[in-house]
Amino acid sequence: MLKRVGLVILLSLAAAGCAVSPTGERTLLLNSPAQMNALGSQSFEQLKKKQVIEQDARINRYVQCVADAIVMQVPVEYGYAPQDWELVVFKDDSVNAFALPGGKVGVHTGLLKVTENQDQLASVIGHEVAHVLAQHSNARMSQQQVTQLGLAVTSMALAEKVDSNKQQAAVMALGLGVQYGILLPYSRKHESEADVLGQELMAEAGFDPREAVSLWESMAEQGGKTPPELLSTHPAPSTRIRQLDDQVHYYMPLYEEARKAGRRPECDRLKPQ
Ligand SMILES: [Zn+2]
């Protein structure tokens, strides 16, 4: 009986939160954008208190210049105005960047050492902004919530048969690897979607979309013994690089149009040597 109640809850949750992602994938979103934005902002405030923030004005101007050009191209239907975005450069040698719901973007200074030019940096920032626009945090958390609910239902069902110690052990075993968290790696599907949307954003901002391919190729080469942190959260298998490469011919016209229309970011002149 309990099991059946659980199923009904699962099904009605699934019906309530189904949405379509920017690339047309059906996706389960159980949390409201307002909830997610609050969670994102909260987490970002905590990170700012815990981590060292880069104070070098030149570095900040360089990264901000790239981010500004990208967020200017976010279509209005996503509900973000350019001034809604907050960018923070963290003084951290690990090669990483991330984004949180509510328009929060974090860039580690380590990333600036491997990105050879503004276009490569733009490909990472575009990708991170795309995760926010596609509500990937919400999708990932919703998946975890369904799993958690599934576990709760299983534990109720188990409770009828076994004593509470065994029941707890069973739930813990099932729960292994199931974590709530806003900074966990995304699925391959989300990575691929962020690549598509991110490369489009960078091209529209006037950054060369071919540089996204170059960056991931050199990241993959650097793999080996001590892979950059970005690789552990953003695996760069050949399929991923091929996808970026395949998209280039599609985004080159957008890039050329952007250049013609005067969108020619020159953040490189600020790039710290
Ligand atoms: Zn990603």
Side-chain angles (χ1 to χ4, degrees):
M1 187 57 208
L2 277 170
K3 232 177 186 168
R4 194 170 305 152
V5 171
L7 260 180
V8 172
I9 296 173
L10 279 175
L11 287 174
S12 47
L13 274 178
C18 215
V20 178
S21 77
T23 57
E25 300 269 356
R26 293 192 74 78
T27 175
L28 178 69
L29 300 178
L30 297 177
N31 309 291
S32 72
Q35 273 174 317
M36 292 309 298
N37 292 354
L39 198 55
S41 302
Q42 236 172 49
S43 308
F44 203 59
E45 288 310 311
Q46 282 166 10
L47 282 169
K48 284 197 286 185
K49 276 187 205 129
K50 263 199 327 216
Q51 319 270 43
V52 184
I53 295 174
E54 177 60 63
Q55 300 296 336
D56 186 314
R58 201 175 170 84
I59 296 177
N60 277 293
R61 274 201 304 269
Y62 170 56
V63 184
Q64 190 73 52
C65 171
V66 173
D68 283 348
I70 294 281
V71 301
M72 282 291 285
Q73 299 311 313
V74 170
V76 282
E77 54 265 34
Y78 286 105
Y80 281 97
Q83 67 271 19
D84 293 340
W85 295 86
E86 181 185 2
L87 171 92
V88 173
V89 182
F90 293 101
K91 209 175 169 68
D92 187 323
D93 281 338
S94 60
V95 178
N96 211 3
F98 61 90
L100 297 172
K104 311 294 179 190
V105 180
V107 170
H108 289 190
T109 43
L111 181 67
L112 305 179
K113 292 188 188 119
V114 300
T115 47
E116 284 165 11
N117 49 46
Q118 61 171 10
D119 307 76
Q120 293 192 358
L121 178 60
S123 80
V124 178
I125 293 179
H127 174 100
E128 295 303 332
V129 165
H131 275 309
V132 175
L133 300 180
Q135 302 192 62
H136 287 157
S137 286
N138 194 350
R140 186 183 48 198
M141 255 180 68
S142 303
Q143 209 57 53
Q144 287 160 354
Q145 285 157 333
V146 168
T147 312
Q148 291 286 359
L149 187 64
L151 293 186
V153 172
T154 311
S155 90
M156 282 190 278
L158 282 171
E160 293 171 1
K161 291 176 195 145
V162 295
D163 64 64
S164 69
N165 275 349
K166 277 186 193 155
Q167 178 205 337
Q168 252 174 15
V171 170
M172 276 173 66
L174 283 168
L176 221 64
V178 179
Q179 288 168 286
Y180 274 97
I182 199 157
L183 281 170
L184 292 173
Y186 296 105
S187 68
R188 287 283 167 92
K189 204 175 84 184
H190 287 167
E191 287 309 330
S192 155
E193 191 168 63
D195 278 344
V196 173
L197 199 54
Q199 207 174 10
E200 183 179 333
L201 282 173
M202 76 180 285
E204 280 178 340
F207 295 109
D208 188 338
R210 290 169 295 196
E211 290 293 340
V213 185
S214 310
L215 173 68
W216 286 105
E217 273 171 355
S218 65
M219 292 276 258
E221 273 164 28
Q222 281 182 43
K225 258 188 186 160
T226 49
E229 192 179 337
L230 198 61
L231 273 187
S232 66
T233 50
H234 292 77
S238 50
T239 48
R240 188 166 176 206
I241 294 171
R242 210 177 316 132
Q243 184 199 329
L244 284 167
D245 199 24
D246 285 348
Q247 288 165 188
V248 162
H249 79 278
Y250 190 70
Y251 294 131
M252 279 311 278
L254 285 183
Y255 165 62
E256 278 148 16
E257 252 173 62
R259 307 288 291 183
K260 262 189 226 143
R263 295 195 294 276
R264 300 159 183 257
E266 285 181 8
C267 307
D268 265 340
R269 71 192 189 292
L270 301 166
K271 190 178 190 314
Q273 295 310 314

